[in-house]
Amino acid sequence: MADLPAQPYAFPFNPAQAALLIIDMQRDFLEPGGFGAALGNDVSRLRAAIDPTRILLQAARNFGLCVIHTREGHLPDLSDLKRAKQQRGRFVPRIGDAGPMGRILIRGEAGHAIIPELAPLAGETIIDKPGKGAFYATDLDMVLQGKGISQLLVCGVTTEVCVFSTVRDANDRGFDCLVLRDCTASYFPEFHDQTLRMIAAQDGIFGWVGESVDVVARMELCHAGPARQ
Ligand code: C5J
């Protein structure tokens, strides 16, 4: 399949070796009453990424592209929560405390769920992660190796935190990342812009930055994609 328009130059899209990686599109980050709001953020700033990601996700499903979702959160007994993460900051409610969507950032609670617009289908891989990067203390690398994946189309929130942590690590592990500008978002628009600039700078020091419309159009051009999942 032909290259996709991207910065700093065309991305050599190979769907047979690519996965759509959707990072932490959880109620705890995107809805009032969750972790993002507890930190004092305007969670409405993340909503712009929902619709483009929903359209891209549908196109990926139609095409048969590998789809992987991640969720940031902790075990109910907090045994996977580092002291530094637990104690950092002065906000309340804190991780593990009760909030309007259940205990903040705890697996199984309502706030931990992926937003309904992007809810995973049966058979799609979900990676639960205790850190910001999606490779830290997870099986993600093993899952990707097992599926023969070498390219990641990256969506999710927030651009400069979990998305960037994951892309940096993916880059070191040998994956080619295409980060979708319109499918990522931050509570701080300037951090979103600067992070994407950093990824594509120096001729793609961490990877490529593109637009979902180009990926969707390319997948729709193909009648039959690789059967995955
Ligand atoms: C944050 C994330 N921002 N998913 N998590 O704490 O970016």
Side-chain angles (χ1 to χ4, degrees):
M1 189 172 275
D3 294 352
L4 290 172
Q7 294 294 327
Y9 57 90
F11 181 74
F13 185 38
N14 177 1
Q17 294 176 11
L20 178 64
L21 181 64
I22 305 179
I23 297 177
D24 300 358
M25 291 295 279
Q26 296 162 254
R27 299 184 67 197
D28 255 324
F29 295 107
L30 287 117
E31 294 186 10
F35 182 60
L39 289 169
N41 296 303
D42 174 1
V43 294
S44 69
R45 295 216 161 127
L46 304 189
R47 298 201 71 81
I50 296 175
D51 234 38
T53 307
R54 187 182 53 74
I55 292 165
L56 178 59
L57 176 59
Q58 191 54 57
R61 285 170 175 163
N62 294 344
F63 184 80
L65 199 77
C66 174
V67 175
I68 298 177
H69 307 259
T70 74
R71 297 183 298 208
E72 181 180 346
H74 298 277
L75 296 166
D77 66 1
L78 306 183
S79 56
D80 62 351
L81 176 59
K82 303 275 190 199
R83 181 207 56 80
K85 185 174 179 182
Q86 183 173 31
Q87 295 183 2
R88 181 88 41 80
R90 293 162 290 180
F91 61 92
V92 282
R94 307 184 69 76
I95 297 173
D97 289 348
M101 294 191 288
R103 293 176 68 200
I104 300 283
L105 225 53
I106 298 298
R107 294 184 195 174
E109 301 286 343
H112 182 257
I114 290 172
I115 56 170
E117 296 92 328
L118 303 175
L121 292 182
E124 289 176 352
T125 302
I126 301 174
I127 300 288
D128 279 313
K129 62 191 189 63
K132 303 305 182 194
F135 292 94
Y136 169 69
T138 74
D139 290 338
L140 180 58
D141 194 71
M142 197 168 62
V143 168
L144 295 173
Q145 302 294 345
K147 291 176 183 287
I149 299 296
S150 62
Q151 299 187 340
L152 300 174
L153 311 182
V154 186
C155 305
V157 296
T158 60
T159 318
E160 77 280 12
V161 184
C162 291
V163 171
F164 202 13
S165 294
T166 300
V167 167
R168 283 170 175 258
D169 201 350
N171 181 58
D172 282 340
R173 289 167 188 266
F175 296 96
D176 284 326
C177 294
L178 174 67
V179 181
L180 283 319
R181 180 186 305 277
D182 52 334
C183 299
T184 50
S186 170
Y187 303 119
F188 306 91
E190 67 276 24
F191 291 171
H192 173 75
D193 293 342
Q194 293 297 343
T195 300
L196 296 177
R197 283 188 63 195
M198 284 188 268
I199 288 168
Q202 302 177 75
D203 227 16
I205 194 90
F206 294 115
W208 287 257
V209 175
E211 306 287 338
S212 65
V213 67
D214 294 315
V215 186
V216 170
R218 194 57 54 83
M219 287 194 288
E220 284 177 351
L221 268 179
C222 292
H223 295 293
R228 287 201 174 271
Q229 304 296 336

